[in-house]
Amino acid sequence: MTARIITVANQKGGSGKTTLAMTLAGALAGRGNRVLVVDADSQGTATQWAGAAAETAPFPATVIGLANAKGRLHQLVKPLVNDYDYVVIDCPPSVEEQASQSALLVSDVCLIPLQPTPADLWATVGAIELVEKARMVNPGLRAFGVPNRVTSTNLGKQVLDVMRENDVEFLDGKLGNRTSFQEATIRGSVPSKMGAAHRAAAAEVEAVVTELLFRLGAD
Ligand SMILES: Nc1ncnc2c1ncn2[C@@H]1O[C@H](COP(=O)(O)OP(=O)(O)OP(=O)(O)O)[C@@H](O)[C@H]1O
Ligand SMILES: [Mg+2]
């Protein structure tokens, strides 16, 4: 079996790309899959996240840094697909970056995390354009927005409603605004491995993964 490639991209900095990529990777690994995270961002956040893990409890997926690959990223990722069930690519913030463009050429799906604010919503235009461009070469590329840091405010709800009317398809699943996700970064872990206090965050990630696999026809 060759790995499915999931790219997490959005030009908006801090939208939750690394958080989604790492928790998704952890959840896929938790289901018995061999998972590779490709850290395509020179900030190295995913690499640092995995590096923060205790020796006795390593991060559940392998993380490699390929930030230097830039426009050649797809060439370096391709040979890796035989060794994994899923490859999750964590992209740098700007969609201008060649890395995101390159990653999408070989991806099955692009996930676009965004917070329910008007600024984040407007910023998805760039990500959608990037997906459309990649589809000229990779016509099977799927793309889903994933609401992140969702709170129960009315404004947030309104923005979510607008999002769902937008060009991009959205997952029903979402990640709430939870300290569990920040704690996971510090601990080098994922919410599902952090005990009962983090159950709500773990359940959100599981719901996103279940829905994603269902939509990809891979469950
Ligand atoms: N659902 C969430 N709940 C709480 N905090 C979150 C959530 N998602 C992200 N954060 C926090 O927001 C900050 C930015 O998140 P993250 O690093 O995942 O974004 P990013 O899109 O990868 O950023 P960059 O563009 O710099 O790569 C981090 O401090 C992270 O812990
Ligand atoms: Mg990041």
Side-chain angles (χ1 to χ4, degrees):
M1 171 177 168
T2 59
R4 275 177 186 264
I5 303 179
I6 302 169
T7 287
V8 184
N10 189 341
Q11 74 191 103
K12 191 86 165 54
S15 58
K17 294 177 288 296
T18 305
T19 301
L20 179 62
M22 293 299 271
T23 54
L24 177 72
L28 288 167
R31 295 180 182 205
N33 296 294
R34 296 164 303 165
V35 183
L36 175 70
V37 176
V38 172
D39 185 353
D41 184 358
S42 58
Q43 294 180 98
T45 317
T47 306
Q48 283 162 3
W49 184 321
E55 256 175 55
T56 49
F59 187 78
T62 305
V63 181
I64 60 165
L66 288 181
N68 291 333
K70 307 214 187 284
R72 292 183 303 116
L73 187 62
H74 61 288
Q75 291 168 3
L76 300 185
V77 167
K78 257 190 190 161
L80 301 171
V81 298
N82 297 320
D83 299 330
Y84 295 93
D85 300 308
Y86 290 92
V87 175
V88 179
I89 305 178
D90 181 27
C91 287
S94 170
V95 287
E96 309 293 319
E97 291 265 359
Q98 293 167 321
S100 312
Q101 211 154 339
S102 177
L104 291 177
L105 296 179
V106 290
S107 295
D108 294 285
V109 59
C110 177
L111 295 182
I112 308 164
L114 72 162
Q115 300 180 34
T117 67
D120 269 55
L121 186 58
W122 295 326
T124 55
V125 172
I128 295 166
E129 278 173 11
L130 197 72
V131 166
E132 280 169 0
K133 206 164 156 190
R135 279 181 176 149
M136 291 183 211
V137 177
N138 178 15
L141 177 65
R142 309 283 305 272
F144 300 105
V146 184
N148 183 35
R149 301 194 86 160
V150 175
T151 60
S152 52
T153 65
N154 278 333
L155 178 62
K157 280 201 194 100
Q158 283 170 26
V159 176
L160 278 178
D161 286 344
V162 174
M163 282 179 178
R164 297 212 153 92
E165 290 165 9
N166 225 272
D167 287 348
V168 69
E169 222 178 321
F170 273 82
L171 293 185
D172 292 325
K174 56 185 164 28
L175 303 185
N177 188 36
R178 299 182 186 279
T179 52
S180 297
F181 292 111
Q182 297 169 5
E183 210 173 312
T185 314
I186 296 163
R187 288 208 212 170
S189 189
V190 288
S192 60
K193 293 187 161 244
M194 289 162 31
H198 304 283
R199 234 177 357 217
E204 287 174 346
V205 176
E206 285 302 323
V208 164
V209 173
T210 300
E211 184 185 4
L212 177 66
L213 297 186
F214 177 75
R215 297 231 196 175
L216 295 178
D219 55 335

